[in-house]
């Protein structure tokens, strides 16, 4: 099995306001953010790939160019003649951000439509990373296909990691969201929820309750992020709590969880040390939130 970290999900066109009614175009998405940071964190003998679907138009070509320039392998990307990529626009009012989305016909919704192509995309992955948004954009039948592919990958020795990233607006119903997320957790070696989401949509009273619920679903290890509060790492064998270092200059919390996941998993894949992995995740997230934007180039040259 190769040293490949494979993220699966949706990369979108981002239109961010620059002032005077103009916008700057970029590319972003939760699993893409994690892949981007994982490429920065992992040793050079690791490959970081991205599995999604895009069109054959100019903006899809630009997206693939961005991924390649970031050192991310686009070999697992499926290309469709009749689709393009999704888009969202950031809106600012009195300093608060809101978002408008155009993604109903996005190519990424078809990333699991061809079981054979999906199996080929994940065939060499040592770790497969996905999120609740990955699941939410898929039609019900394709979610089942995706779960079957995950089961087969784990049977051959791949590890799986999952951030529930609960976004009810993307799902048919909240009950469907909760059921699918719980099923996915049972197929994963690492489940990495944010307690704020779990409190809001599962009603968990504490981060410990969230950890216990995902362990009961069959997760191997649960890493509960909770902003400046303790990170809970729990498995059937052990449970530890780690206090992140405080961050005073918080500018933008975008991608805090995505970057934490990347650094945690990168360190764990190399060292297997939980304490070092939490420290790596917390340090990177703490740096990212002191800058604007999801992708912050805060790494020293090698």
């Amino acid at each position: 099995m190769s040293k490949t970290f494979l993220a699966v999900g949706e990369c979108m066109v981002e239109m961010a306001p620059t002032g005077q009614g103009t916008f700057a175009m970029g590319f972003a998405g939760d699993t893409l953010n994690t892949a981007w940071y994982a490429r920065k964190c992992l040793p050079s003998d690791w490959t970081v790939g991205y599995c999604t679907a895009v069109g054959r138009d100019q903006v899809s070509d630009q997206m693939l160019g961005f991924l390649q320039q970031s050192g991310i392998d686009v070999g697992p990307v499926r290309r469709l003649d009749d689709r393009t990529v999704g888009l969202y626009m950031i809106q600012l009012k009195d300093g608060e951000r809101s978002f408008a989305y155009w993604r109903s016909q996005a190519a990424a919704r078809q990333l699991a439509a061809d079981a054979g192509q999906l199996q080929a995309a994940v065939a060499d992955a040592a770790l497969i990373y996905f999120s609740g948004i990955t699941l939410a954009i898929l039609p019900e039948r394709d979610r089942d296909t995706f779960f079957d592919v995950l089961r087969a990958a784990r049977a051959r020795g791949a590890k799986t990691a999952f951030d529930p990233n609960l976004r009810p607006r993307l799902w048919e119903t909240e009950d469907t969201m909760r059921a699918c997320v719980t099923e996915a957790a049972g197929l994963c070696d690492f489940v990495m929820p944010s307690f704020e989401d779990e409190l809001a949509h599962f009603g968990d009273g504490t981060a410990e309750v969230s950890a216990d619920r995902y362990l009961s679903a069959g997760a191997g290890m649960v890493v509960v992020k909770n902003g400046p509060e303790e990170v809970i790492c729990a498995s059937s064998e052990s449970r530890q709590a780690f206090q992140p270092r405080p961050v005073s200059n918080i500018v933008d919390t975008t991608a805090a969880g995505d970057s934490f996941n990347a650094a945690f998993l990168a360190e764990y894949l190399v060292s297997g040390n939980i304490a070092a992995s939490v420290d790596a995740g917390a340090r990177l997230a703490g740096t990212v939130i002191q800058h604007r934007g999801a992708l912050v180039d805060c790494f020293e040259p090698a």
Side-chain angles (χ1 to χ4, degrees):
M1 185 181 299
S2 65
K3 292 182 177 180
T4 298
F5 181 114
L6 182 70
V8 184
E10 181 182 29
C11 181
M12 301 182 72
V13 174
E14 177 189 81
M15 302 301 293
T18 60
Q20 306 300 319
T22 60
F23 290 80
M25 189 182 86
F27 300 102
D30 65 335
T31 54
L32 179 277
N33 299 340
T34 296
W36 192 88
Y37 283 112
R39 177 61 285 165
K40 300 286 189 180
C41 294
L42 281 165
S44 60
D45 61 341
W46 276 79
T47 296
V48 175
Y50 198 65
C51 177
T52 189
V54 301
R56 295 188 181 275
D57 54 344
Q58 183 177 357
V59 71
S60 295
D61 290 342
Q62 288 178 276
M63 179 178 288
L64 294 183
F66 166 76
L67 294 174
Q68 290 174 309
Q69 290 168 11
S70 300
I72 296 172
D73 177 25
V74 299
V77 175
R78 186 179 183 212
R79 304 207 70 170
L80 303 175
D81 293 331
D82 59 345
R83 297 277 182 125
T84 185
V85 294
L87 178 149
Y88 72 92
M89 182 172 67
I90 300 172
Q91 300 165 311
L92 295 175
K93 183 177 181 181
D94 300 327
E96 295 295 326
R97 290 157 52 106
S98 63
F99 302 88
Y101 291 91
W102 294 266
R103 74 196 317 171
S104 62
Q105 294 299 309
R109 297 176 69 88
Q110 301 296 311
L111 70 85
D114 186 314
Q117 286 190 352
L118 183 61
Q119 289 167 351
V122 307
D124 291 329
L127 183 133
I128 302 166
Y129 175 85
F130 65 104
S131 76
I133 293 176
T134 307
L135 301 179
I137 66 172
L138 299 179
E140 181 178 357
R141 179 181 61 185
D142 294 354
R143 287 179 203 144
D144 293 338
T145 298
F146 183 70
F147 287 155
D148 288 343
V149 169
L150 285 183
R151 292 186 184 97
R154 292 188 84 197
R156 65 162 172 80
K159 300 296 185 183
T160 51
F162 173 53
D163 184 336
N165 212 350
L166 304 170
R167 299 293 182 267
R169 289 196 306 169
L170 298 179
W171 292 87
E172 301 93 319
T173 67
E174 286 211 30
D175 285 342
T176 299
M177 176 184 73
R178 286 186 283 263
C180 288
V181 163
T182 300
E183 182 177 0
L187 302 175
C188 289
D189 299 280
F190 305 93
V191 177
M192 311 182 76
S194 295
F195 177 64
E196 182 180 17
D197 288 350
E198 307 304 314
L199 171 63
H201 303 298
F202 277 95
D204 296 342
T206 66
E208 297 275 0
V209 172
S210 297
D212 288 338
R213 178 169 49 76
Y214 283 120
L215 289 175
S216 296
M221 179 189 296
V222 183
V223 182
V224 187
K225 308 179 293 282
N226 193 11
E229 305 301 324
E230 289 183 333
V231 176
I232 303 297
C233 294
S235 68
S236 59
E237 292 83 26
S238 67
R239 183 171 304 235
Q240 301 176 70
F242 301 91
Q243 179 62 55
R245 300 171 188 173
V247 176
S248 58
N249 182 37
I250 298 175
V251 174
D252 183 353
T253 60
T254 302
D258 303 332
S259 58
F260 177 98
N261 294 348
F264 178 98
L265 291 169
E267 176 63 34
Y268 196 87
L269 287 169
V270 173
S271 73
N273 185 300
I274 294 176
S277 300
V278 173
D279 183 62
R283 282 190 290 107
L284 179 55
T287 299
V288 168
I289 64 176
Q290 296 181 68
H291 299 80
R292 294 197 181 279
L295 305 180
V296 178
D297 198 356
C298 51
F299 296 82
E300 295 294 331

